[in-house]
């Protein structure tokens, strides 16, 4: 399952997006980001595409809650499904920014900065599948439900919504005035998945009303059938849709085991699959007739989290820094995804997605340097036997426990590389393979690890996306700061970023935050996901979406 926190955030053990290990630097080299604004979707004029057809998309699992705003629904699988069903004010754009979604909102602008007021004009034709017009009351109810003010609503992320003072009707029911109690710079990331007021006005409807299936929707498609036995959700054209006519007749989501993806694509049972970091799936895709490998830098990146909680061995900042210097991120990236991405570049930023306009490689703060790592460990009193082996201090060995999911070949491969790299500087690694379904609940969430690797997903709303990853732990309130590592400078900079409405100045603040995170060794980014997909060659306007969103309206098949 892939889980999103904030807009998009933590990825767990998605079959399509497998776990990874840990990293360091590339000999101090600074590597630049790739060209921006890329998607590999076989772009075609929709008018030239066949009218009709079924696009069959595999899923790791059906959503456990189709309310994307709910804590259980705030995950990648839900997002993929509801993006064809639910309205949103802005789309994520291919360059890592945002683009106004004029199917739902024809205008959105800041009309006042003190206080900050945003005026939205909802598309005059926009209606719910029930026939009721989408109005300002739906926006108001969304804020009520997602602000966190009422704990009865089990909200996935209140960021931004909790800063709204009021939502009012403008000149018409289609005009929305949103007034903020304090400035919120990433306001375009709000209402990303608007739900009807009937859901958002009632905690019970919010929490449980969408568990079995989607309810009232407002997208180019609506729910046709949901087969829990076959694990298949079929979407059909929404006859109340007011925008461009979708080219597809149906979108069919079907749960598929990762080991069966290539066979199902070869057997014409699905139309695409995500390759991720699987060299096997990449090579299989190259052998299937009529299939293309499409690739664009995505939002996801692999990293390793260090447990710096009080009493943990890695609570020592200097020790964390020495460990990080001893891990060669470039070697890990080349071994894992080099066959898929020959010019693979290690991830250099915790805040901005690789390839986005604001991405900077800040890894020079803590570059890979094995000699310096050895000197730092010596200086910290971790002595190494003359014959080599594991260092020790006061009779205690320098041995770290790397928690990894069992039965995961990619995670296993990375863990072994990390073990060998750290052995070279006298650090012992014990790989603890744990059940996949307990990896987070039994280990990562509870701080039961020294090192743990998984993925994060970036977002166009970079501050809102990452604030709870690096928040100050307060008792049991960790956000998703599983390593419990915090520097007060981070909190101050995040507040400045949220208040800065100038995009360029905010990006500078974001990169200041990132440099502090590198210094504190909260986690060590490894490499961006490959962004590679195996796609049937006749599929147009769909595939490797990169930093943007899928467009279900204009997706289709060539004639």
């Amino acid at each position: 399952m892939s889980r999103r926190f904030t807009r998009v955030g933590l990825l767990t053990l998605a079959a399509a997006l497998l776990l990874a290990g840990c990293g360091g630097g590339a000999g101090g080299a600074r590597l630049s980001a790739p060209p921006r604004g890329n998607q590999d979707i076989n772009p075609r004029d929709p008018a030239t595409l066949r009218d009709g057809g079924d696009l069959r998309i595999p899923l790791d699992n059906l959503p456990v809650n189709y309310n994307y705003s709910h804590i259980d629904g705030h995950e990648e699988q839900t997002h993929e499904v509801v993006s064809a069903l639910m309205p949103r004010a802005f789309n994520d754009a291919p360059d890592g920014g945002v683009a106004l979604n004029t199917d739902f909102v024809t205008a959105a602008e800041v009309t006042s900065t003190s206080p900050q007021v945003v005026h939205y004009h909802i598309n005059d034709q926009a209606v719910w599948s029930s026939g009721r017009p989408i109005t300002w009351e739906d926006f108001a109810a969304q804020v009520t439900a997602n602000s966190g003010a009422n704990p009865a609503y089990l909200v996935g992320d209140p960021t931004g919504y909790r800063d709204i003072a009021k939502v009012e009707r403008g000149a018409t029911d289609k005009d929305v005035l949103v007034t903020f109690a304090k400035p919120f710079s990433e306001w375009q990331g709000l209402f990303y998945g608007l739900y009807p007021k009937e859901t958002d006005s009632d905690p019970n409807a919010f929490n449980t009303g969408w568990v079995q299936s989607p309810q009232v929707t407002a997208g180019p498609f609506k729910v046709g059938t949901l087969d829990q036995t076959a694990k298949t959700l079929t979407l059909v054209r929404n006859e109340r849709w007011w925008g461009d006519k979708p080219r597809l007749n149906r979108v069919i989501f079907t749960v598929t085991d990762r080991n069966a993806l290539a066979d199902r694509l070869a057997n014409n049972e699905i139309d695409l699959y995500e390759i991720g970091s699987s060299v096997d799936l990449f090579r299989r895709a190259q052998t299937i007739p009529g299939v293309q490998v499409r690739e664009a830098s995505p939002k996801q990146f692999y990293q390793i989290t260090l447990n710096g909680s009080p009493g943990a061995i890695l609570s020592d900042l200097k020790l964390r820094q020495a460990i990080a210097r001893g891990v060669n991120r470039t070697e890990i990236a080349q071994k894992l995804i080099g066959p898929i991405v020959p010019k693979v570049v290690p991830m250099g930023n915790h805040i901005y997605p690789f390839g986005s306009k604001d991405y900077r490689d800040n890894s020079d703060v803590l570059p890979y340097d094995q000699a310096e790592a050895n000197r730092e460990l010596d200086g910290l009193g971790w002595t190494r036997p003359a014959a080599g082996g594991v260092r020790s201090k006061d009779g205690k060995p320098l041995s770290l426990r790397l928690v990894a999911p069992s039965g995961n070949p990619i995670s296993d491969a990375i863990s072994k590389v990390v073990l060998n790299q750290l052995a070279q500087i006298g650090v012992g690694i014990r790989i603890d393979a744990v059940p996949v379904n307990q990896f987070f609940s039994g280990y990562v969430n509870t701080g039961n690890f020294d090192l743990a690797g998984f993925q994060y997903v970036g977002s166009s709303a970079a501050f809102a996306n990452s604030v709870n990853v690096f928040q100050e732990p307060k008792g049991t309130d960790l956000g998703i700061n599983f390593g419990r590592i915090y520097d007060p400078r981070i909190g101050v900079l995040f507040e400045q970023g949220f208040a800065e409405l100038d995009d360029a100045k905010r990006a500078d603040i974001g990169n200041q935050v990132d440099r502090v995170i590198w210094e504190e060794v909260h986690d060590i980014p490894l490499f961006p996901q490959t962004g590679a997909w195996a796609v049937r060659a006749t599929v147009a306007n769909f595939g490797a979406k990169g930093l943007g969103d899928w467009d279900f309206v204009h997706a289709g098949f060539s004639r």
Side-chain angles (χ1 to χ4, degrees), residues 190-245:
L190 301 175
F191 309 108
Y192 186 83
L194 180 71
Y195 281 75
K197 65 180 181 180
E198 291 83 358
T199 292
D200 285 338
S201 299
D202 176 12
N204 289 328
F206 181 93
N207 295 332
T208 64
W210 292 67
V211 169
Q212 296 299 321
S213 67
Q215 300 299 305
V216 176
T217 59
F221 292 88
K222 66 178 185 179
V223 176
T225 59
L226 176 56
D227 187 334
Q228 290 288 358
T229 301
K231 302 295 183 184
T232 299
L233 171 63
T234 300
L235 308 184
V236 298
R237 287 174 177 171
N238 175 12
E239 70 279 1
R240 294 187 185 275
W241 175 248
W242 57 93
D244 291 348
K245 178 183 177 181

Side-chain angles (χ1 to χ4, degrees), residues 71 179 205 254 293 316-317 394 417:
I71 189 170
T179 302
T254 180
V293 174
D316 183 339
L317 171 61
D394 300 327
V417 176

Side-chain angles (χ1 to χ4, degrees), residues 29-308:
R30 298 292 298 278
L31 298 172
S32 60
R36 296 188 290 267
N38 62 318
Q39 286 187 321
D40 194 356
I41 59 173
N42 185 23
R44 293 287 185 272
D45 180 348
T48 67
L49 301 181
R50 176 159 58 96
D51 183 14
D54 297 342
L55 182 62
R56 299 160 299 176
I57 304 173
L59 289 179
D60 300 327
N61 55 272
L62 290 177
V64 296
N65 192 322
Y66 291 88
N67 182 357
Y68 181 61
S69 299
H70 188 273
I71 189 170
D72 291 336
H74 212 60
E75 62 164 6
E76 179 68 11
Q77 302 292 286
T78 310
H79 171 262
E80 289 188 5
V81 171
V82 303
S83 60
L85 297 171
M86 306 306 295
R88 54 192 176 201
F90 286 84
N91 293 320
D92 281 356
D95 67 353
V98 295
L100 187 68
N101 183 1
T102 54
D103 279 333
F104 293 106
V105 176
T106 56
E109 60 180 342
V110 176
T111 58
S112 169
T113 57
S114 183
Q116 181 182 349
V117 178
V118 178
H119 170 236
Y120 299 86
H121 184 79
I122 304 167
N123 191 308
D124 291 334
Q125 297 176 291
V127 297
W128 295 105
S129 57
S130 63
R132 181 177 67 78
I134 299 175
T135 72
W136 73 275
E137 293 180 323
D138 296 300
F139 279 67
Q142 182 105 343
V143 172
T144 297
N146 285 270
S147 68
N150 185 347
Y153 290 94
L154 303 181
V155 179
D157 179 32
T159 304
Y161 292 107
R162 61 189 168 203
D163 296 324
I164 294 175
K166 59 182 177 179
V167 179
E168 299 173 290
R169 180 185 185 276
T172 71
D173 282 348
K174 292 286 187 175
D175 290 289
V176 189
L177 299 176
V178 177
T179 302
F180 289 81
K182 62 179 182 179
F184 183 68
S185 57
E186 294 180 332
W187 59 271
Q188 296 99 327
L190 301 175
F191 309 108
Y192 186 83
L194 180 71
Y195 281 75
K197 65 180 181 180
E198 291 83 358
T199 292
D200 285 338
S201 299
D202 176 12
N204 289 328
F206 181 93
N207 295 332
T208 64
W210 292 67
V211 169
Q212 296 299 321
S213 67
Q215 300 299 305
V216 176
T217 59
F221 292 88
K222 66 178 185 179
V223 176
T225 59
L226 176 56
D227 187 334
Q228 290 288 358
T229 301
K231 302 295 183 184
T232 299
L233 171 63
T234 300
L235 308 184
V236 298
R237 287 174 177 171
N238 175 12
E239 70 279 1
R240 294 187 185 275
W241 175 248
W242 57 93
D244 291 348
K245 178 183 177 181
R247 305 309 299 173
L248 298 166
N249 277 334
R250 301 190 299 177
V251 177
I252 302 173
F253 294 98
T254 180
V255 174
T256 301
D257 185 270
R258 187 164 178 78
N259 293 326
L261 287 172
D263 288 338
R264 295 202 69 191
L265 184 59
N267 293 335
N268 196 27
E269 298 172 14
I270 57 176
D271 292 303
L272 71 164
Y273 66 72
E274 188 169 16
I275 292 169
S277 296
S278 173
V279 176
D280 178 63
L281 285 176
F282 172 69
R283 290 173 175 159
R284 286 291 308 277
Q286 293 177 311
T287 68
I288 303 174
V291 167
Q292 300 173 339
V293 174
R294 300 178 185 174
E295 187 177 328
S297 298
K299 300 166 185 173
Q300 300 96 324
F301 69 93
Y302 291 110
Q303 57 81 52
I304 190 164
T305 289
L306 289 76
N307 185 356

Side-chain angles (χ1 to χ4, degrees), residues 185 463 491-501 506 509 512:
S185 57
F463 279 81
V492 172
L493 287 167
F494 266 109
E495 286 298 316
Q496 292 177 8
F498 279 125
E500 180 54 70
L501 299 181
R506 187 168 65 256
I509 296 170
Q512 291 178 48

Side-chain angles (χ1 to χ4, degrees), residues 316-320 322 375-382 393:
D316 183 339
L317 171 61
K318 296 296 183 183
L319 178 57
R320 294 200 303 273
R375 285 190 291 269
E376 290 179 349
L377 291 171
D378 289 340
L380 291 171
W382 290 99
K393 182 178 181 180

Side-chain angles (χ1 to χ4, degrees), residues 425-446:
I425 60 172
V427 178
I429 292 291
R430 177 168 62 89
I431 300 172
D432 188 0
V434 303
V436 172
N437 61 357
Q438 297 177 26
F439 177 77
F440 275 94
S441 61
Y443 296 88
V444 177
N445 295 1
T446 60

